[in-house]
Amino acid sequence: MANESQNWVLMVTAQTPTNIAVIKYWGKRDETLILPVNDSISVTLDPNHLCTTTTVAVSPTFQQDRMWLNGKEISLSAGRFQSCLREIRGRACDVEDKKKGVKITKEDWGKLHLHIASYNNFPTAAGLASSAAGFACLVYALGKLMNVKEDESQLSAIARQGSGSACRSLYGGFVKWIMGKEDNGSDSLAVQLADEKHWDDLVIVIAVVSSRQKETSSTSGMRETVETSLLLQHRAKDVVPKRILQMEEIIRNRDFASFSRLTCADSNQFHAVCLDTSPPIFYMNDTSHRIISIVEKWNRSEEDPQVAYTFDAGPNAVLIARDRKAAALLIQRLLYYFPPSSDDLDSYIIGDKSIAKDAGINGIPDVEALPPPPEIKDNIPSQKYKGDVSYFICTRPGRGPVLLSDESQALLNGENGLPK
Amino acid sequence: MANESQNWVLMVTAQTPTNIAVIKYWGKRDETLILPVNDSISVTLDPNHLCTTTTVAVSPTFQQDRMWLNGKEISLSAGRFQSCLREIRGRACDVEDKKKGVKITKEDWGKLHLHIASYNNFPTAAGLASSAAGFACLVYALGKLMNVKEDESQLSAIARQGSGSACRSLYGGFVKWIMGKEDNGSDSLAVQLADEKHWDDLVIVIAVVSSRQKETSSTSGMRETVETSLLLQHRAKDVVPKRILQMEEIIRNRDFASFSRLTCADSNQFHAVCLDTSPPIFYMNDTSHRIISIVEKWNRSEEDPQVAYTFDAGPNAVLIARDRKAAALLIQRLLYYFPPSSDDLDSYIIGDKSIAKDAGINGIPDVEALPPPPEIKDNIPSQKYKGDVSYFICTRPGRGPVLLSDESQALLNGENGLPK
């Protein structure tokens, strides 16, 4: 280090999206390296509505590696953090910041400590893949800070070691995580199948479902499925490889009818292997089941499916509508069955609120005036489930990681490297 | 027919138990003959608490075949009734009742009409396998009336054509339904693995769960699973055959720990293939999931499992306790989490009420005084779910069909053959 002063702080801020799998990842063949038992495919969600922002900083004044998540300091001792830090440091290159008069050589990185601040623009506990966006952002930001030459795909193999699905957040659009064959995991990485402009009709509505149950973590859940389910191996070896090929073709052709059928079937099969685990794992609850029934009934009443549903390791529904028109009809149905429990519609439908406007929903009276969906043919007045959904997020497929060059967006103070 | 008068009515009354599968039947390879895709094993439930009573009558005065279920006339036109009637009539033999001066020859049976009255001592709609007991009882009673020479196993192949699981209600104790190989179904029948005295420690508690959902019928559910699940064939071909051998050995050895593990796993796998169906089938609801969690948590806190759970095509839990002591501890846990919503404890715990007495439960104050189960170690006060269970039935493994020779127990009037 040949530097004019020892008080400098060098920072990089990045923003990374979350993603939702349409062909699911469930089960590791290597717990430490996080190598999966099958390929998976995801859609990246628009970071305007769901993303992680991370600032990473380096300074000779830092005494140790430290991290703050949503303003609260957390420990970096977990293996998943240590793996990512070690892998990224091992690829660090010379960095020079002439303006600040800072020069860091490849060798210096091993001696310098890091400060990391990360912030999710959505509730961490809501089961919305915050760890995927988080580890992708950590690795991406550190890669930029340390002038790492590896491309996104190679970075994804590092992010994978933090959280498996994080590898799929290094790209926008549709992304495939190739399981790979190597024991060291070097070929278990993400590739982009299509960017976010390829199929930009799609609209995504997430129903954040209220839950009273304590959920099984996906890490321990997966382990128990691998150890006890007699159906998982059949899924991983015989079912998923065919589905991956089908889904790649579906995405290429923007074939929504097939996309809907396969996405729903694969979500259900993932939850089926969870149920086939001992003790059984239930991520979906009665509200999740009701949302599925509403969508299935509607899809079957139309010539072609209008919406696909998929559920991760929790009760929240991710609903993918074929276009804005279908999304407006979907929002009408969802609000009909799940009206808000307070008068605050503005915090009940968040994200891209224009979808609700398209559906003619501008206030509570519009929700109350919604007629039952036409597919309910029996004249039994349908039950409503006020309070069973916490809120809806309207979004769409989105772009991959970006750097935020405006220092005002940094989460760390440029002077002392502490959270702002 | 050489008979003194033409006004005679000849009647037989029988009582047949219901049964609960511990290795599940799900999926037909032949819809008409009702031939399954795998063997299954069941426990017969004590007919004192759950049974069907059926009176069958023949008289030259009857103008057509007629049937009454729980006092209400129902149509016999469905194929499943017609199959049973045709098969039984085809095996009818000469019958002579000297007291009544009645003689019916083999050939007469084709010309004579039948009256049938059937009554379940439990709610038909509660999802407690009423059709299994019903068809078993119909076939058994008709067999006796018509002097059919076939044994229970051969009768079971006829009852099977009414309702698949009915074939397992022709025996008490533990029963195997052998799927068979023949296209005509002649070898798809039930055999007894052990009678009800073989393992008489077991105590069974059924939680009848309140449900707001309309359920998929098992007939259409099975068909959709066979047509759309990619996991079912693997279950039927690779998983169940091994489990059948294991369960037979477990029953032979009265090995409760293994019985519990395998029974729970197979119930969960059945519901997993339902979930892997398109559209997915959900029979269990949040209450079912809660009961599973309570049992799993308790079992894991003990050296050996105390209770097995199994769920059929509905949300009701069938809980099999290793002995009376475990059953009393189970009842305490169930009442702790699911207290009655009214003050009428007497109609909340039905069947063998001595189990509740063993548990020290004599009235509502005893329910209110129940401490949280010791396996809840975190001091979070646990939530209670009043109203989520409709009632509990305490029972045990029971005997097979019997004839009720006392005419006062007949459901039809001996004079005119109409319901009493």
Side-chain angles (χ1 to χ4, degrees):
Chain A
M1 274 176 287
N3 302 308
E4 287 166 20
S5 129
Q6 289 298 313
N7 288 327
W8 54 267
V9 175
L10 216 60
M11 296 199 307
V12 163
T13 300
Q15 191 188 65
T16 304
T18 185
N19 70 78
I20 178 80
V22 291
I23 300 293
K24 299 292 188 191
Y25 152 53
W26 195 253
K28 301 183 180 89
R29 63 179 202 276
D30 184 309
E31 292 259 345
T32 311
L33 291 170
I34 310 190
L35 302 177
V37 295
N38 55 250
D39 292 354
S40 54
I41 292 178
S42 61
V43 187
T44 299
L45 304 183
D46 188 343
N48 286 314
H49 309 127
L50 292 162
C51 73
T52 296
T53 303
T54 300
T55 299
V56 291
V58 63
S59 168
T61 65
F62 296 168
Q63 298 302 305
Q64 54 174 326
D65 293 341
R66 295 177 72 183
M67 178 164 180
W68 295 264
L69 175 61
N70 297 325
K72 206 182 140 191
E73 185 157 11
I74 62 166
S75 164
L76 282 168
S77 63
R80 42 182 52 205
F81 284 111
Q82 292 301 316
S83 298
C84 288
L85 291 174
R86 184 190 60 241
E87 294 295 318
I88 277 285
R89 278 194 170 107
R91 288 164 179 82
C93 296
D94 294 353
V95 170
E96 185 167 8
D97 184 323
K98 284 193 177 146
K99 224 169 85 189
K100 293 196 174 170
V102 174
K103 206 169 172 183
I104 308 172
T105 67
K106 210 176 156 82
E107 292 69 33
D108 292 335
W109 286 108
K111 293 168 258 165
L112 287 164
H113 292 292
L114 300 164
H115 280 189
I116 303 160
S118 202
Y119 173 78
N120 299 321
N121 70 348
F122 57 93
T124 307
L128 295 167
S130 55
S131 69
F135 277 102
C137 208
L138 174 68
V139 168
Y140 184 81
L142 287 174
K144 293 295 174 193
L145 179 71
M146 298 185 183
N147 194 21
V148 166
K149 308 294 188 200
E150 272 75 5
D151 65 14
E152 275 76 1
S153 213
Q154 291 162 311
L155 288 179
S156 79
I158 300 175
R160 190 203 73 227
Q161 298 175 57
S163 170
S165 55
C167 72
R168 296 186 312 237
S169 274
L170 267 301
Y171 289 105
F174 289 87
V175 183
K176 175 162 79 157
W177 175 8
I178 299 168
M179 62 181 286
K181 289 175 186 163
E182 300 297 334
D183 285 342
N184 68 7
S186 57
D187 59 349
S188 185
L189 42 76
V191 295
Q192 188 177 52
L193 297 176
D195 72 16
E196 61 275 19
K197 290 181 205 84
H198 168 71
W199 197 353
D200 63 359
D201 283 347
L202 301 178
V203 177
I204 298 173
V205 179
I206 302 171
V208 178
V209 169
S210 321
S211 171
R212 303 188 290 182
Q213 299 286 106
K214 215 198 296 177
E215 280 151 30
T216 311
S217 84
S218 58
T219 301
S220 63
M222 270 185 215
R223 186 186 310 125
E224 287 166 11
T225 302
V226 169
E227 286 169 3
T228 64
S229 169
L230 296 178
L231 302 179
L232 177 70
Q233 287 305 316
H234 180 66
R235 162 174 166 75
K237 298 270 174 296
D238 293 338
V239 179
V240 174
K242 293 184 193 102
R243 287 185 170 177
I244 289 284
L245 297 174
Q246 287 166 7
M247 188 57 89
E248 291 189 65
E249 198 190 335
I250 284 167
I251 292 167
R252 240 180 343 257
N253 300 333
R254 293 181 284 261
D255 170 4
F256 188 81
S258 305
F259 176 77
S260 170
R261 280 187 281 265
L262 190 53
T263 297
C264 298
D266 205 67
S267 173
N268 291 329
Q269 188 171 86
F270 149 50
H271 291 279
V273 298
C274 288
L275 189 42
D276 188 49
T277 300
S278 179
I281 303 164
F282 313 107
Y283 286 123
M284 295 197 289
N285 64 18
D286 285 351
T287 306
S288 317
H289 293 174
R290 266 177 212 120
I291 294 172
I292 289 180
S293 299
I294 293 162
V295 170
E296 288 280 359
K297 195 162 200 171
W298 180 29
N299 277 346
R300 268 148 224 274
S301 77
E302 300 277 344
E303 206 169 315
D304 278 317
Q306 300 300 301
V307 173
Y309 55 81
T310 187
F311 294 73
D312 269 357
N316 300 333
V318 178
L319 303 162
I320 309 176
R322 66 185 309 142
D323 52 26
R324 281 187 73 92
K325 195 177 146 223
L329 293 168
L330 171 65
I331 277 285
Q332 288 175 346
R333 283 165 173 81
L334 292 170
L335 290 173
Y336 173 79
Y337 288 105
F338 304 100
S341 53
S342 84
D343 279 352
D344 185 8
L345 189 63
D346 202 53
S347 63
Y348 194 61
I349 307 175
I350 64 173
D352 178 3
K353 291 172 193 278
S354 72
I355 302 290
K357 306 271 177 267
D358 279 10
I361 307 290
N362 294 294
I364 298 289
D366 301 322
V367 175
E368 284 164 355
L370 283 169
E375 62 269 20
I376 310 180
K377 270 156 202 145
D378 40 13
N379 287 318
I380 307 153
S382 32
Q383 213 165 347
K384 299 201 172 194
Y385 304 94
K386 193 179 271 195
D388 287 359
V389 168
S390 300
Y391 56 94
F392 295 101
I393 307 170
C394 296
T395 185
R396 65 177 76 80
R399 60 167 159 70
V402 288
L403 278 180
L404 302 180
S405 48
D406 182 351
E407 271 223 6
S408 72
Q409 292 174 285
L411 302 175
L412 294 172
N413 186 310
E415 303 296 313
N416 59 12
L418 289 170
K420 279 183 180 172
Chain B
M1 273 174 288
N3 302 310
E4 287 163 21
S5 129
Q6 288 299 312
N7 289 326
W8 54 268
V9 175
L10 215 60
M11 295 199 310
V12 161
T13 300
Q15 192 188 63
T16 304
T18 184
N19 70 78
I20 177 80
V22 291
I23 300 293
K24 298 292 188 191
Y25 152 53
W26 195 252
K28 301 183 179 88
R29 63 181 202 275
D30 184 309
E31 292 260 344
T32 311
L33 291 170
I34 311 192
L35 302 177
V37 295
N38 55 250
D39 293 353
S40 53
I41 292 178
S42 61
V43 187
T44 298
L45 303 184
D46 187 342
N48 287 315
H49 309 128
L50 291 163
C51 74
T52 296
T53 302
T54 299
T55 299
V56 292
V58 64
S59 169
T61 65
F62 296 169
Q63 298 301 304
Q64 53 174 326
D65 293 341
R66 294 177 74 183
M67 176 163 181
W68 294 265
L69 175 61
N70 296 325
K72 207 183 140 192
E73 184 157 12
I74 62 165
S75 164
L76 283 169
S77 63
R80 41 182 53 204
F81 285 111
Q82 292 301 316
S83 299
C84 289
L85 292 174
R86 184 189 63 242
E87 294 294 319
I88 278 284
R89 278 193 169 106
R91 288 165 178 82
C93 296
D94 294 353
V95 169
E96 185 168 8
D97 183 324
K98 283 189 176 148
K99 224 170 82 189
K100 292 195 173 168
V102 174
K103 206 169 171 181
I104 309 173
T105 68
K106 211 175 152 82
E107 292 71 32
D108 292 335
W109 286 108
K111 294 168 259 164
L112 288 164
H113 292 292
L114 299 163
H115 280 189
I116 303 160
S118 201
Y119 173 78
N120 299 320
N121 69 348
F122 57 93
T124 307
L128 295 168
S130 55
S131 69
F135 278 101
C137 208
L138 174 68
V139 168
Y140 185 81
L142 287 175
K144 294 295 174 192
L145 179 71
M146 299 185 182
N147 192 21
V148 167
K149 308 292 189 202
E150 272 75 5
D151 65 13
E152 274 76 2
S153 213
Q154 291 163 311
L155 288 179
S156 80
I158 301 174
R160 189 203 74 226
Q161 297 175 59
S163 171
S165 54
C167 72
R168 296 185 312 236
S169 273
L170 267 302
Y171 290 105
F174 288 88
V175 183
K176 175 162 80 158
W177 175 8
I178 299 167
M179 62 180 286
K181 289 175 184 164
E182 300 296 334
D183 284 344
N184 67 6
S186 57
D187 58 349
S188 185
L189 41 75
V191 295
Q192 189 177 53
L193 297 176
D195 71 17
E196 61 275 20
K197 290 182 205 85
H198 168 72
W199 197 353
D200 63 359
D201 284 348
L202 300 178
V203 176
I204 298 173
V205 178
I206 302 171
V208 178
V209 169
S210 321
S211 171
R212 303 188 291 181
Q213 297 288 105
K214 217 199 296 178
E215 279 151 30
T216 311
S217 84
S218 58
T219 302
S220 64
M222 269 185 216
R223 185 187 310 124
E224 286 166 12
T225 302
V226 169
E227 285 170 4
T228 64
S229 169
L230 297 178
L231 301 180
L232 177 70
Q233 287 305 317
H234 179 65
R235 162 173 167 74
K237 297 271 175 297
D238 293 337
V239 179
V240 175
K242 292 184 193 107
R243 287 186 171 177
I244 290 285
L245 297 174
Q246 287 165 7
M247 188 58 90
E248 292 189 65
E249 198 191 335
I250 284 167
I251 292 167
R252 242 181 340 259
N253 301 333
R254 293 182 284 261
D255 170 4
F256 189 81
S258 305
F259 177 78
S260 169
R261 280 188 282 264
L262 190 54
T263 297
C264 298
D266 205 67
S267 172
N268 291 329
Q269 188 171 85
F270 150 50
H271 292 278
V273 299
C274 288
L275 188 43
D276 188 50
T277 300
S278 178
I281 303 165
F282 313 107
Y283 286 123
M284 295 197 288
N285 64 18
D286 285 351
T287 306
S288 317
H289 293 175
R290 264 177 214 121
I291 293 172
I292 289 180
S293 298
I294 292 163
V295 171
E296 289 280 359
K297 196 164 198 171
W298 180 28
N299 278 346
R300 267 146 225 274
S301 76
E302 301 277 344
E303 205 169 315
D304 277 318
Q306 300 300 302
V307 173
Y309 56 81
T310 187
F311 295 73
D312 269 357
N316 300 332
V318 177
L319 303 163
I320 309 177
R322 64 186 311 143
D323 52 28
R324 281 187 72 93
K325 196 179 145 220
L329 294 168
L330 171 65
I331 277 286
Q332 288 175 346
R333 282 165 174 81
L334 292 170
L335 290 173
Y336 173 79
Y337 288 105
F338 304 101
S341 54
S342 85
D343 279 351
D344 185 9
L345 189 63
D346 202 53
S347 64
Y348 195 61
I349 306 176
I350 64 173
D352 178 3
K353 290 172 195 279
S354 72
I355 302 290
K357 306 272 178 265
D358 279 11
I361 308 291
N362 294 295
I364 298 289
D366 301 323
V367 175
E368 285 165 355
L370 283 169
E375 62 269 20
I376 309 178
K377 271 158 204 145
D378 40 15
N379 286 318
I380 308 152
S382 33
Q383 212 163 349
K384 300 201 172 195
Y385 303 95
K386 193 180 269 197
D388 287 359
V389 168
S390 300
Y391 56 94
F392 294 102
I393 306 170
C394 297
T395 185
R396 66 177 76 79
R399 61 169 158 69
V402 288
L403 277 182
L404 302 181
S405 48
D406 182 351
E407 272 223 6
S408 73
Q409 293 175 286
L411 302 175
L412 294 171
N413 186 311
E415 303 295 313
N416 60 13
L418 290 171
K420 280 182 178 172

